[in-house]
């Protein structure tokens, strides 16, 4: 008994010594803030509310732009959903600048994108500095460029800070109080309590949400200042019901053909304007359909997406304007290509065609992190 008691005493003393030697963050970090972007798709009220209630997330930082040409297509929807769920709203811009003038141009672009997406004035609009452009730049240049970016953002009424990797702080740029990414394998992360936030992992998953998420612990109120969250129940429109006025205005028939829109038409989950819009087709594109519906005001075409789900597009007004041309020669279209437009991402294009963004990228010899450019042709199927 004496030997056992002595052994237990030594073990307890050893564990106590460890607990005093290691910072408290070893045990756990608070999931205070989550990053979202097109890589996570469209986030709903339920997605954010689940994060708030079950994980303690209280703030979101949404990507709004990159460089001087890319606007994140999910920003407006995601910020609105996060606001409904009662989260603090923030945004970030992925930097590509290498000069002071370039930084100012990107800042002006980021401000316009943030305003268009509904990011409230007074919120944080951070600059995400981690790209190869900055890796190849000098310490002095990066520091001056970041300062120029933040000055323009602050003059527009937003607050700003620098997001970067822990290994770049003090080596690639000067960072006074920033938002620092450093994952648990690097014990130097414990110095980040002097900054606004520490991003401690990039592979967090949430039930019901798509993909991996970056999550951060907050050390002050920088990302929660100047806002008063006001959660509200989501407004979910009831799906439109097929018109029942007469037999002529509510019919359907099997017909296979190719539709080439002459104007942008929405892709919907049902044959009616009240069904959810999951994308769009633009002039120059085409869709092979297998059924036609007349539902009150509109004529609809149905097609089977690559995900195995049926989607619908309006061919035109019943007895009126046509939204494009139709052909019955569907067999000539053995492959589908897509011309990239400004603002597109692998996620938004893949969603349109009902395929995985990983499959889309692989089909074109790319990864989901590869850049795509307006005018570039992507192979779909």
């Amino acid at each position: 008994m004496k030997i056992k008691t002595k052994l237990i005493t030594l073990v307890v003393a050893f564990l106590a010594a460890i607990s005093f030697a290691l910072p408290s963050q070893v045990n756990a970090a608070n999931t205070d803030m989550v990053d979202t972007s097109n890589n996570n798709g469209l986030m709903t009220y339920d997605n954010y509310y689940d994060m708030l209630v079950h994980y303690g997330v209280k703030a979101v930082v949404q990507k709004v732009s990159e460089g001087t040409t890319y606007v994140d297509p999910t920003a407006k929807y995601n910020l609105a959903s996060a606001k409904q769920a009662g989260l603090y709203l923030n945004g970030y811009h992925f930097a590509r600048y290498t000069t002071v003038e370039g930084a100012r141009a990107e800042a002006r672009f980021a401000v316009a994108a943030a305003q268009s997406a509904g990011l409230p004035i007074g919120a944080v609009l951070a600059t995400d500095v981690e790209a190869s452009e900055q890796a190849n730049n000098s310490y002095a240049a990066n520091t001056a460029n970041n300062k120029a970016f933040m000055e323009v953002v602050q003059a527009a009424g937003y607050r700003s800070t620098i997001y970067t990797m822990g290994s770049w702080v003090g080596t690639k740029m000067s960072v006074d109080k920033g938002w620092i990414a450093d994952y648990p394998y690097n014990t130097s992360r414990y110095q980040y309590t002097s900054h606004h936030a520490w991003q401690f992992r990039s592979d967090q998953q949430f039930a019901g949400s798509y993909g991996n998420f970056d999550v951060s612990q907050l050390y002050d109120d920088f990302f929660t200042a100047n806002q008063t969250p006001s959660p509200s129940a989501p407004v979910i429109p009831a799906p439109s019901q097929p018109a029942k006025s007469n037999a002529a205005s509510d019919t359907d028939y099997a017909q296979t053909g190719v539709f080439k829109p002459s104007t942008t038409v929405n892709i919907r989950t049902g044959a009616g304007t009240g069904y959810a819009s999951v994308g769009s087709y633009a002039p120059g594109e085409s869709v092979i359909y297998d059924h036609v519906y007349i539902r009150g005001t509109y004529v609809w075409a149905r097609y089977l997406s690559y995900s195995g789900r049926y989607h619908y597009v309006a061919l035109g007004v019943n007895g009126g304007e046509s939204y494009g041309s139709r052909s019955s020669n569907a067999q000539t279209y053995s492959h589908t290509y897509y011309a990239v437009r400004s603002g597109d991402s692998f996620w938004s294009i893949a969603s349109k065609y009902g395929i995985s963004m990983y499959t889309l990228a692989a089909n074109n010899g790319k990864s989901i992190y590869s850049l795509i450019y307006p005018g570039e042709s992507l192979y779909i199927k």
Side-chain angles (χ1 to χ4, degrees):
M1 284 294 294
K2 288 184 179 180
I3 295 176
K4 185 176 181 180
T5 302
K6 185 176 181 180
L7 179 60
I8 292 173
T9 302
L10 289 171
V11 171
V12 171
F14 177 71
L15 293 175
I18 291 177
S19 67
F20 282 110
L22 296 179
S24 60
Q25 290 96 324
V26 167
N27 298 321
N30 295 330
T31 308
D32 295 323
M33 185 168 71
V34 62
D35 305 15
T36 54
S37 72
N38 61 86
N39 288 322
N40 305 113
L42 295 176
M43 300 287 293
T44 67
Y45 166 92
D46 289 335
N47 294 146
Y48 285 123
Y49 186 73
D50 181 75
M51 293 177 181
L52 173 70
V53 172
H54 296 108
Y55 296 88
V57 174
K58 56 187 175 183
V60 62
V61 56
Q62 165 70 38
K63 181 177 181 178
V64 297
S65 53
E66 178 176 337
T68 55
T69 59
Y70 180 80
V71 175
D72 192 302
T74 67
K76 186 171 185 177
Y77 185 93
N78 288 355
L79 286 172
S81 296
K83 181 178 180 180
Q84 283 185 323
L87 299 183
Y88 292 93
L89 307 182
N90 303 279
Y92 74 91
H93 168 84
F94 193 92
R96 294 290 182 183
Y97 50 72
T98 57
T99 66
V100 166
E101 284 308 310
R104 289 172 179 157
E106 288 195 27
R108 291 190 291 269
F109 183 78
V111 166
Q115 291 173 339
S116 177
L119 185 68
I121 294 298
V124 173
L125 178 53
T127 178
D128 180 346
V129 185
E130 58 176 311
S132 58
E133 288 87 343
Q134 290 85 42
N136 296 324
N137 238 9
S138 69
Y139 176 98
N142 284 334
T143 299
N145 296 343
N146 295 339
K147 182 174 182 290
F149 179 95
M150 291 190 291
E151 286 175 345
V152 173
V153 169
Q154 290 162 355
Y158 291 111
R159 293 175 299 118
S160 195
T161 191
I162 300 169
Y163 168 92
T164 195
M165 298 170 284
S167 60
W168 282 26
V169 176
T171 59
K172 286 293 184 180
M173 66 196 74
S174 173
V175 183
D176 181 18
K177 287 179 72 70
W179 168 26
I180 312 302
D182 210 343
Y183 303 138
Y185 52 78
N186 186 342
T187 56
S188 67
R189 66 187 181 278
Y190 301 124
Q191 68 184 327
Y192 302 134
T193 54
S194 63
H195 290 272
H196 296 307
W198 164 41
Q199 185 184 98
F200 60 89
R201 66 182 298 178
S202 62
D203 57 355
Q204 177 69 48
Q205 294 188 338
F206 299 99
S209 297
Y210 176 78
N212 292 330
F213 293 81
D214 299 332
V215 290
S216 302
Q217 175 167 314
L218 303 181
Y219 293 120
D220 56 28
D221 66 350
F222 187 71
F223 286 93
T224 59
N226 299 333
Q227 296 181 52
T228 303
S230 53
S232 59
V235 177
I236 304 175
S240 297
Q241 298 300 314
K244 298 294 182 181
S245 56
N246 56 62
S249 66
D250 185 11
T251 60
D252 65 270
Y253 49 95
Q255 183 186 81
T256 300
V258 178
F259 174 59
K260 295 181 177 181
S262 57
T263 186
T264 300
V265 293
N266 289 325
I267 301 169
R268 298 191 180 274
T269 56
T273 57
Y275 288 95
S277 174
V278 294
S280 63
Y281 280 102
E285 298 180 273
S286 62
V287 57
I288 301 173
Y289 59 88
D290 64 7
H291 213 92
V292 173
Y293 298 82
I294 299 175
R295 293 290 183 264
T297 305
Y298 299 99
V299 179
W300 298 86
R302 183 187 74 178
Y303 70 95
L304 187 65
S305 74
Y306 302 140
S307 65
R309 298 176 181 177
Y310 280 115
H311 289 152
Y312 303 79
V313 294
L315 300 176
V317 177
N318 184 17
E321 177 188 5
S322 173
Y323 295 154
S325 62
R326 283 190 276 172
S327 166
S328 61
N329 187 14
Q331 299 303 314
T332 60
Y333 291 82
S334 57
H335 298 288
T336 301
Y337 292 87
Y338 176 81
V340 177
R341 302 198 296 270
S342 178
D344 279 337
S345 66
F346 280 118
W347 178 86
S348 64
I349 298 169
S351 296
K352 172 184 292 189
Y353 290 98
I355 61 175
S356 163
M357 65 179 178
Y358 297 95
T359 300
L360 173 62
N363 285 347
N364 290 274
K366 300 175 182 289
S367 79
I368 62 169
Y369 303 106
S370 302
L371 292 178
I372 53 177
Y373 301 94
E376 182 178 355
S377 180
L378 295 181
Y379 171 71
I380 305 299
K381 184 180 180 182

